[in-house]
Amino acid sequence: MHILRRPGWHIGENQATPETVFVNRRRVLAGMGLGLGAGAAGGLAGNLAFPVRAMAAGEDPSAGLYPVPRNEAYQLDRELTPEDVNRRYNNFYEFGSHKEIYNAAQSLKIRPWEISIGGEVEKEMTVAIDDLLKAMPLEERLYRHRCVEAWSMTVPWSGFAMKALVDYARPTSAARYIWFETFLDKEMASGQAQFWYPWPYLEGMTMAEASNDLAFLVTGAYGKPLAPQFGAPLRLALPWKYGFKSIKSIRKITFMRERPVSFWEQLAPTEYGFWANVNPEVVHPRWSQATERVLHTGERVPTLLYNGYGEQVAGLYAEVGKTEKIFY
Ligand code: MTE
């Protein structure tokens, strides 16, 4: 994500970040050809030169739950992105504003991990991730993953349907939106010391979107518990929307009457709006969304409306689309 039109309080990155991070970011941005739009994002070959510290066996207490049965209803028309490619190319600004955050993200402390559920619910609660994992019907789904920066992947996510979480949380009829928040800990995640970002990362969806079959809470990938850089131990996958909606490392889930103003929306509302549904015909203010670069092949392919999931989700926007822009 490149925020060029920064709010007045956004200072230059070189003024606030360690030089190594700044130099690294400049190198990545140069590789991306900034100005052509992030669609030109590259640097993957460079990434492969860096070793990734693998999580030690047994470090994640949920390891025994995986692999989980695959739900064959979710098929792909292209091959899966190899795990090693996915593990080395991530957006997780808490650990750096570039793609090579995999080693830094290993400092994410994933246990104990509690999730608070509150707001418009019958009873507020806090649940430990391992208790939630026991209560939810885990399955694997093959999903497309399309970043607003115009690169894409295909990922075998493990997790459970968002609507199972809604049933578990028992919201009242007043709930219209769900807000999701990440942890806040700048000692653990140095990116959160970058004070011009509105931490913690915040995202949201409507109750109708949460009830759609595709909305998925992710707890694993590639038949294993989630690696830290994927947003362990709990993240979202909303495959018909741009990837920034898929918030990582969720700590707090709140059922609300009001719509949230999410992390990126606070920074650049005309570029990263609330709906953020994928549409190849609606240009990002700074680059085209007509095509995407398939991460592991480098091939450029046409982007599909709703990222190819229109049949399942277009109905969600029939009414709201008459009065609001639903593509940014
Ligand atoms: N969640 C948090 N907490 N922090 C982030 O920086 N980046 C988002 C999203 N979720 C982000 C986040 C963006 S921009 C994208 S494209 C996806 O995570 C990237 O997911 P991936 O690294 O698994 O490909």
Side-chain angles (χ1 to χ4, degrees):
M1 313 280 280
H2 313 301
I3 306 298
L4 293 186
R5 280 192 299 258
R6 291 168 171 143
W9 40 265
H10 189 142
I11 64 167
E13 187 172 28
N14 54 338
Q15 289 170 262
T17 54
E19 200 189 350
T20 46
V21 172
F22 177 61
V23 168
N24 192 30
R25 176 160 165 77
R26 284 177 54 164
R27 187 167 60 74
V28 171
L29 292 180
M32 285 174 156
L34 189 68
L36 297 175
L44 184 62
N47 290 346
L48 295 174
F50 291 80
V52 181
R53 187 182 81 81
M55 185 183 276
E59 219 171 301
D60 188 316
S62 69
L65 296 175
Y66 302 91
V68 295
R70 180 173 294 176
N71 184 336
E72 299 292 346
Y74 301 92
Q75 298 289 346
L76 293 174
D77 61 350
R78 47 182 96 153
E79 63 179 29
L80 281 173
T81 302
E83 180 181 3
D84 203 41
V85 173
N86 195 346
R87 287 173 83 94
R88 293 164 194 258
Y89 193 92
N90 304 95
N91 272 332
F92 202 169
Y93 277 67
E94 285 81 346
F95 295 99
S97 44
H98 53 90
K99 301 288 181 280
E100 295 160 359
I101 53 77
Y102 40 80
N103 276 333
Q106 306 309 313
S107 62
L108 176 66
K109 192 167 175 277
I110 56 168
R111 293 294 188 286
W113 191 278
E114 292 191 327
I115 298 138
S116 68
I117 302 179
E120 299 288 351
V121 288
E122 286 174 24
K123 194 168 181 289
E124 303 213 322
M125 63 174 118
T126 299
V127 58
I129 184 68
D130 294 300
D131 293 333
L132 188 65
L133 286 169
K134 276 182 219 143
M136 294 292 117
L138 297 182
E139 62 183 50
E140 184 183 67
R141 298 183 181 186
L142 308 183
Y143 270 6
R144 293 158 175 261
H145 175 39
R146 167 61 158 86
C147 180
V148 73
E149 296 165 338
W151 51 263
S152 68
M153 302 192 199
T154 42
V155 194
W157 295 125
S158 306
F160 51 91
M162 182 67 217
K163 59 184 174 189
L165 190 277
V166 173
D167 291 346
Y168 181 84
R170 299 204 308 275
T172 68
S173 56
R176 295 183 55 220
Y177 297 92
I178 314 181
W179 298 29
F180 298 85
E181 258 178 61
T182 311
F183 62 87
L184 187 59
D185 185 343
K186 65 180 179 200
E187 301 301 316
M188 179 177 74
S190 62
Q192 290 188 330
Q194 297 186 316
F195 60 84
W196 55 90
Y197 287 116
W199 307 112
Y201 201 102
L202 168 75
E203 259 305 339
M205 65 172 89
T206 64
M207 289 296 287
E209 289 176 325
S211 303
N212 187 276
D213 283 332
L214 275 179
F216 201 52
L217 274 163
V218 176
T219 60
Y222 298 91
K224 289 177 272 195
L226 268 188
Q229 62 266 42
F230 295 154
L234 185 70
R235 70 171 283 171
L236 268 178
L238 302 174
W240 70 99
K241 293 180 180 283
Y242 291 116
F244 68 87
K245 297 291 295 181
S246 293
I247 182 172
K248 298 179 169 184
S249 302
I250 298 165
R251 274 269 193 214
K252 190 172 169 190
I253 302 176
T254 318
F255 291 81
M256 300 290 279
R257 293 167 192 257
E258 306 84 33
R259 187 185 290 186
V261 182
S262 64
F263 182 83
W264 291 112
E265 196 179 358
Q266 287 177 56
L267 287 162
T270 57
E271 304 193 4
Y272 312 111
F274 174 74
W275 298 103
N277 294 310
V278 175
N279 187 333
E281 287 174 14
V282 178
V283 290
H284 181 278
R286 287 180 285 120
W287 58 83
S288 161
Q289 295 290 19
T291 62
E292 65 205 49
R293 188 174 59 91
V294 179
L295 203 63
H296 68 285
T297 62
E299 193 190 357
R300 194 154 274 284
V301 300
T303 286
L304 302 174
L305 183 61
Y306 295 109
N307 202 20
Y309 295 104
E311 208 176 299
Q312 291 95 319
V313 300
L316 287 171
Y317 308 104
E319 275 311 301
V320 69
K322 290 179 189 161
T323 52
E324 277 194 62
K325 285 187 184 165
I326 55 164
F327 294 109
Y328 267 110

